[in-house]
Amino acid sequence: MSFPHRHLLGIEPLAASEIQTILDTALALREILDRPIKKVPALRGKTVVNLFYEASTRTRSSFEIAEKALSADSVSIATTASSAQKGETLLDTARNLEAMNPDMIVIRHAAAGAPHFLARHCRSAIVNAGDGAHEHPTQALLDALTLRQRKRRLAGLRVAIVGDLLHSRVCRSNLWLLSKLGAEVVLCGPPTLVPPGIEALAPVSYDLDEAVTGCDAIMMLRVQRERMSGGYYPSDREYRRCFGLTEARVKRAKRDVLILHPGPMNRGVEIDSEVADGPYSVILEQVTNGVAIRMAVLYMLLGGGQEPAA
Ligand code: CP
């Protein structure tokens, strides 16, 4: 297994072959989750701190399940219940946690670059579980695993990434990953929610009907209201009319199109329930694959190449 990185900070620095290695490892480890006893001793004696400065359901719980499945010891810290509330800086928090000698810190933070900052100042391996609007590497990896399982390939797939591109770390990580692995990406969203300069990475369409036509997969993005201070769009109803994924729009894509969403969803805004719960949706498969991807990342950064013995 060749993975020369000490940290997982983003998809941008990874080579295509390294991404494929993570996906292959996740596929191999996934089988453990189907066993009656979902546990192997691969990371026995390793300690992981999950440090979440922002809310999370899927990412945090799947890291915890992955850590338990690989027998790592883990501690989860939600900063609403930590000394960050008393004004402690990120660096002081990390240094104090490091004084307890963990092997890895998994961090989610509202500031882009927070995991990179920790990587410069900490001895532990650092995993980015989402930093501001920058990257969410394990999300892109689980999306890729889901697409690869269903379509048997990523190269040549036409994938539309649709919605609030401006605030989306999921969009950025997927853009890097899908481009590196040879997929064709088209971006689509309201002009107010398209970051300047992103058209240098992939073509942008402001017409959802056009963007989804002939697609193999459609990745919907959440409207991130918590990051919006002004009126980026007139109303939820208007957003749905122009940029919501409806059953009628799904029919414009290929007959075997896959619908993805990282969650949590704003039903009736960026995606209709008939689509989210419909036959083309792989949204819950993404969640299942999230555990396998996080197992692979933990194993590759902490396992040191030992076989994940039964
Ligand atoms: N997709 C994702 O990051 O979900 P959570 O915010 O629930 O972790």
Side-chain angles (χ1 to χ4, degrees):
M1 178 198 310
S2 167
F3 194 72
H5 302 274
R6 231 166 68 70
H7 311 286
L8 178 66
L9 302 177
I11 298 296
E12 187 181 1
L14 300 184
S17 59
E18 292 165 352
I19 295 169
Q20 294 283 18
T21 302
I22 299 173
L23 300 182
D24 292 343
T25 306
L27 210 54
L29 293 173
R30 220 182 96 116
E31 167 272 324
I32 293 167
L33 301 170
D34 297 326
R35 295 182 188 176
I37 296 175
K38 306 177 183 68
K39 211 173 185 68
V40 293
L43 297 187
R44 197 162 48 195
K46 303 287 184 185
T47 307
V48 181
V49 176
N50 303 305
L51 180 58
F52 277 66
Y53 282 82
E54 286 189 316
S56 170
T57 297
R58 283 146 286 267
T59 310
R60 183 174 146 179
S61 52
S62 61
F63 266 110
E64 288 180 10
I65 291 168
E67 288 150 10
K68 288 181 199 319
L70 295 178
S71 301
D73 295 310
S74 65
V75 180
S76 291
I77 301 172
T79 53
T80 46
S82 80
S83 289
Q85 291 299 310
K86 301 175 193 164
E88 187 167 61
T89 66
L90 172 62
L91 185 55
D92 278 341
T93 300
R95 280 189 171 143
N96 278 272
L97 293 171
E98 281 228 307
M100 301 176 220
N101 208 19
D103 298 287
M104 175 183 280
I105 299 175
V106 177
I107 178 169
R108 169 170 288 191
H109 200 283
H116 307 69
F117 176 74
L118 287 196
R120 284 196 297 277
H121 291 93
C122 294
R123 292 182 311 275
S124 316
I126 304 295
V127 174
N128 182 357
D131 63 325
H134 178 228
E135 280 228 39
H136 192 349
T138 55
Q139 179 70 43
L141 288 162
L142 72 88
D143 294 341
L145 184 62
T146 308
L147 286 174
R148 206 183 75 168
Q149 272 183 318
R150 285 294 198 114
K151 299 285 185 188
R152 305 277 160 225
R153 66 192 166 98
L154 290 170
L157 294 182
R158 180 179 162 86
V159 182
I161 305 180
V162 180
D164 180 357
L165 308 174
L166 182 65
H167 300 107
S168 180
R169 51 198 178 208
V170 175
C171 170
R172 274 168 197 74
S173 287
N174 265 303
L175 248 178
W176 288 119
L177 189 151
L178 291 168
S179 308
K180 283 171 193 271
L181 293 193
E184 177 197 347
V185 179
V186 58
L187 301 170
C188 179
T192 49
L193 292 173
V194 174
I198 202 161
E199 58 283 347
L201 299 177
V204 178
S205 167
Y206 299 103
D207 179 338
L208 183 52
D209 291 331
E210 173 193 88
V212 300
T213 299
C215 275
D216 296 285
I218 305 171
M219 288 185 174
M220 297 308 295
L221 300 173
R222 181 171 69 88
V223 175
Q224 299 195 32
R225 294 172 172 132
E226 75 277 17
R227 300 191 206 274
M228 295 181 187
S229 48
Y232 284 86
Y233 56 93
S235 65
D236 285 351
R237 190 184 159 118
E238 188 63 11
Y239 188 96
R240 176 184 176 273
R241 192 179 71 77
C242 297
F243 294 100
L245 193 60
T246 59
E247 283 187 308
R249 284 185 166 131
V250 171
K251 290 198 175 87
R252 302 180 75 95
K254 286 197 178 148
R255 288 163 60 98
D256 58 350
V257 67
L258 300 178
I259 308 298
L260 297 92
H261 192 301
M265 292 181 275
N266 296 303
R267 288 173 181 262
V269 184
E270 73 257 8
I271 189 165
D272 280 5
S273 283
E274 294 74 17
V275 177
D277 305 326
Y280 306 106
S281 171
V282 289
I283 292 169
L284 292 178
E285 284 178 37
Q286 290 173 265
V287 178
T288 304
N289 283 332
V291 180
I293 284 294
R294 281 140 193 156
M295 286 169 76
V297 169
L298 289 161
Y299 178 69
M300 291 173 76
L301 293 179
L302 293 181
Q306 298 158 28
E307 285 303 308

